[in-house]
Amino acid sequence: MASGFGIKGGLGRCYPFFATFKECMISVEPQDRRLNNEKMIQCIKDREDYMECLHHGKEHARIRMINAEYLRQQKEAANPTVGGENE
């Protein structure tokens, strides 16, 4: 939550990211809130950082990719003739 309070009463782990995003959005005038505006591009990056802190989407995607590659390598090691080496 963007209240700034963590689960144990201190500063929330994602609040600094939210504060940066909020300040960025405050600094952009409403008429300049277009996706191709340089200030808005920075705000979008700040929002991505905040959302990653909350949900860890990029981290989870990377873990899934690493696990899939690990399983592929394990399967390849268990079945070495699949690679077309015995032609």
Side-chain angles (χ1 to χ4, degrees):
M1 199 83 202
S3 65
F5 294 104
I7 195 164
K8 295 182 181 178
L11 189 65
R13 86 169 182 255
C14 296
Y15 186 74
F17 294 105
F18 173 75
T20 303
F21 173 57
K22 181 178 78 168
E23 290 302 318
C24 186
M25 289 302 291
I26 289 171
S27 71
V28 177
E29 296 296 324
Q31 65 270 19
D32 292 334
R33 293 188 179 165
R34 305 183 303 275
L35 291 178
N36 59 351
N37 183 316
E38 288 181 28
K39 287 183 179 179
M40 247 342 255
I41 291 171
Q42 182 57 46
C43 291
I44 291 169
K45 291 178 183 178
D46 291 340
R47 181 184 182 275
E48 285 178 6
D49 290 342
Y50 175 55
M51 297 306 283
E52 177 62 22
C53 181
L54 287 175
H55 305 294
H56 307 288
K58 293 177 185 177
E59 179 183 357
H60 293 308
R62 176 118 172 106
I63 290 170
R64 282 192 301 271
M65 184 179 71
I66 290 169
N67 286 336
E69 178 63 19
Y70 175 77
L71 292 174
R72 186 194 68 77
Q73 289 179 4
Q74 291 295 319
K75 187 176 180 181
E76 188 176 283
N79 199 2
T81 59
V82 174
E85 298 168 2
N86 291 340
E87 289 185 26

